[in-house]
Amino acid sequence: MSGLSADPGLIRIGNCSGFYGDRFGAMREMLEGGQLDVLTGDYLAELTMLILGRDRMKDPGLGYAKTFLRQLEDCLGPALERNVRIVTNAGGLNPAALAEKVRELAARLGLEVRVGYVDGDDLTGRAAELDLGSPLTANAYLGAWGIAECLEAGADVVVTGRVTDASVVVGPAAAHFGWKRTDYNRLAGAVVAGHVIECGTQATGGNFAFFTELSDLGRPGFPLAEIRADGSSVITKHEGTGGAVTVDTVAAQLMYEIQGARYAGPDVTARLDTVELAADGPDRVSIRGVEGEPPPPTVKVSLNTIGGFRNEMEFILTGLDIEEKAALARRQLESWLPERPAELDWTLARLDRPDAGTEEQASALLRCVVRDPDPNKVGRAFSSVAVELALASYPGCSFTAPPGNGSPYGVYRPGYVDAAEVSHAAHRPAGCQVLVGGPSETRELTEVPEPGLPEPLPSGPTERVPLGAIALARSGDKGGDANIGVWVRTDDQWRWLVHTLTVDRLRELLPETATLEVTRHVLPNLRALNFLISGLLGAGVAYQARFDPQAKGLGEWLRSRYLDIPLELLP
């Protein structure tokens, strides 16, 4: 037993960051708000890795989340006083440098701190050898065992590079309970708990579809997981904080950025179709029954490259003849450009309404995005030509911003390498290094067969209303793909939803998906459907293929579409 908690049968693990730029004061709020054994922070995302990669290009000593250091300057003392371990992936592309900065900070504050760090995820130097191309960054998603190794060696603070988001929770749980690498059900339970709290306040009411039901969403508290030795957990938050923890807020985060019923990681594959959620008192939701399987034989690698240069101009079109005005601007700009960029995309957002009471309500937006390997083609050579149309085009021609130079854009793609090729190094506080190898057992990922469906709801009177009248949803990005999780609250609503919201119906409701591959996964325990939409986001978030590049609002668009819903199901 490593002594991470005074209770041998329970460990309380909190979260204070869901992304690089999250609430700055959350670390102190979590330390002062109630009992904790471990405080975690997730600072990394696909886009963040690109940002850190560009930082490292400017200064090889950078590549980590600088915000974490500023938070720690305020909170390291309180954490040590309360015996709260801190585990974070803020090390990004340079965990060794961040670990040294933490030591320097502690010395300046007159504190004694034991710092461990985990690396080995950076495969950039081996990219060609591993058939990964020539990326700017190439980082394998490591698991929890390097973190556990550092904690077992007495680390007060553990910083990592690119580990899976849930690993910062699984590592402390595994260290505290002495789990083995083949304790798949326990590990899978901790993975699910980690997935629920990894995005901070998204588990306590943030981005929640039925947000109007929540009485106190002014400043949601951050979540924590009480994990038990068998891998079950209770999701909760500190008493007196805002937001709410309900079965639905937990389900909402559980459905976020998943692909199918199998949630694969480097340590275990968690079966999301086995998850059981239940209320366990005010602001407490239990997670039980999670089954785990051996991890897949390959490890996912986050690959970021600079794809070229990008620029955009947005025209304001007001009043009558919007389509004709857009066609004129498009025809003029394309014919006036001295050289056509490699990519030139137009979108027209019809935000206007007839007989509008304000000029803004009478206006639509025409957006032109250009991309090219040559920065000159998408710089002033593009944006200045657009502005030259101001006195020569449609009536009322104007723009939302002045002309500007192009800027580099990133391209993300996932890669996969044999798990045996990736070993992470745990650097213990005393200075020695322990190599942590890959899994001893793996299992190929396969699709879970669609379970038997309940009987359809008998036909009866209906009303044409938005799907969101009865259904909740949460959507997000997975590289160039997007997911939408949709779920309902009652068995009868489930009988209707599972037979109504098919792949074909989704394509009808969301025409942007009509030509894309869409896969549906059925999760009966949650009364939920998950749709994976391949290619909707192009080459990833930084590519900005659509105006919502992370698909955050995709689920809300679906909820706003009208269907004929049985009257008996409506509230």
Side-chain angles (χ1 to χ4, degrees), residues 121-144:
D121 60 297
D122 191 348
L123 304 180
T124 309
R126 301 173 56 200
E129 164 200 341
L130 296 171
D131 199 27
L132 298 173
S134 303
L136 172 65
T137 66
N139 295 84
Y141 285 81
L142 301 181

Side-chain angles (χ1 to χ4, degrees), residues 402-414:
N405 294 316
S407 58
Y409 71 88
V411 171
Y412 166 87
R413 68 178 176 89

Side-chain angles (χ1 to χ4, degrees), residues 517-534:
E517 179 184 351
V518 180
T519 308
R520 186 179 91 151
H521 302 274
V522 179
L523 303 172
N525 282 8
L526 303 174
R527 301 191 191 96
L529 302 171
N530 184 64
F531 294 90
L532 185 67
I533 304 165
S534 300

Side-chain angles (χ1 to χ4, degrees), residues 270-350:
R271 289 287 299 265
L272 299 183
D273 55 336
T274 64
V275 176
E276 299 173 11
L277 303 179
D280 190 54
D283 290 318
R284 292 177 62 85
V285 172
S286 69
I287 301 176
R288 297 189 298 265
V290 186
E291 295 179 10
E293 300 170 345
T298 57
V299 173
K300 185 178 178 181
V301 184
S302 170
L303 301 170
N304 283 285
T305 58
I306 300 297
F309 296 84
R310 179 187 181 280
N311 204 349
E312 68 176 77
M313 287 295 291
E314 197 167 55
F315 298 77
I316 301 173
L317 315 173
T318 305
L320 305 176
D321 306 319
I322 294 294
E323 298 288 342
E324 292 77 8
K325 288 173 179 174
L328 175 59
R330 176 172 179 168
R331 186 169 66 250
Q332 287 179 307
L333 178 59
E334 292 190 13
S335 66
W336 288 23
L337 287 174
E339 288 186 277
R340 186 181 179 91
E343 298 180 44
L344 195 152
D345 298 322
W346 294 89
T347 55
L348 176 62
R350 293 299 305 266

Side-chain angles (χ1 to χ4, degrees), residues 103-122:
R103 295 188 194 98
E104 292 173 3
L105 172 64
R108 180 160 52 83
L109 297 175
L111 299 171
E112 291 187 13
V113 64
R114 295 163 295 184
V115 182
Y117 71 95
V118 179
D119 61 10
D121 60 297
D122 191 348

